[in-house]
Amino acid sequence: MVVVNTIHGEPDARLIAALAHAESSVRLRAALSAGTLGDPRVAEALVARCALEPDFFVRDMLTWALCRLPAEVTVPRLLAELGAATAQARSQALHTLSKIGDRAAWPAVSGLLHDSDDEVALSAWRAAAALVPPGSEGSLAADLAAALGRGDQPVQLGLSRALAALGEAATPVLAAAANHRDPRVRAHADATERLRRDPGSGFEPSLELARRVYVTGSGT
């Protein structure tokens, strides 16, 4: 395992190099080491690696390592990433912010709910559901409902889960969407309400029906 030098003013250069190693197993161990030792001086390197790390498990460990560091160190760096040109940088920063749970990130997170990249939007929906200030659930539900019908099944399921996490606050917007002129929106709203009422309900069949209706044009 790579060890961080916590005596001098800079993190161990070996750790920084290991985070960018060609072997994913080395990068994973480096991220584990950074989180285990909790040296705030590696925060910048961890955030930078999140933006380009190709391996899911390494990204997950990078998020864990960042969550082990003081929020006052990590949150400002992650908020800065929300304006990055790279979709992965925005998406991973949103994911990490949701895990840290600092509601100071809410204004910036809510500004990415309609990002043009599906993965970024997904991460924003999850983060928003986790960070929404008490009393703002209804307005968030209305904002999220504007994306009903967007994307493929995984994207739609992600939105439904975010809406379902808002509980009864989502009911009025889902009821309104159930009468939308677009059959995909109607079916997505129905599937979301089913998921909200019963997390074990069949989400995919309802959306599959919507796709068939949309293709055939038989919806009313």
Side-chain angles (χ1 to χ4, degrees), residues 100-166:
I100 292 172
D102 189 337
R103 284 203 166 105
W106 164 251
V109 167
S110 62
L112 291 178
L113 294 177
H114 304 291
D115 194 279
S116 60
D117 184 273
D118 282 346
E119 287 301 318
V120 176
L122 264 173
S123 295
W125 300 337
R126 297 184 191 115
L131 300 175
V132 60
S136 297
E137 293 87 353
S139 59
L140 173 58
D143 208 357
L144 291 175
L148 286 168
R150 172 178 173 173
D152 57 12
Q153 196 269 353
V155 172
Q156 294 194 7
L157 178 56
L159 178 60
S160 292
R161 284 173 172 163
L163 282 162
L166 300 177

Side-chain angles (χ1 to χ4, degrees), residues 201-219:
S201 64
F203 179 83
E204 187 170 2
S206 181
L207 291 180
E208 184 60 37
L209 173 62
R211 282 190 283 272
R212 293 199 300 269
V213 170
Y214 185 77
V215 169
T216 61
S218 60

Side-chain angles (χ1 to χ4, degrees), residues 38-40 66-76 100:
D39 188 342
L66 285 164
C67 289
R68 298 266 297 174
L69 302 180
E72 61 269 22
V73 173
T74 57
V75 170
I100 292 172

Side-chain angles (χ1 to χ4, degrees), residues 18-28 31 46-62 86 88-89 92 119:
L19 288 170
H21 196 276
E23 294 292 332
S24 62
S25 61
V26 176
R27 302 196 302 274
L28 185 67
L46 292 171
V47 170
R49 186 64 203 175
C50 283
L52 47 84
E53 173 55 51
D55 187 278
F56 170 82
F57 296 103
V58 179
R59 291 199 303 271
D60 202 42
M61 189 65 75
L62 290 168
T86 305
Q88 182 172 307
Q92 197 65 22
E119 287 301 318

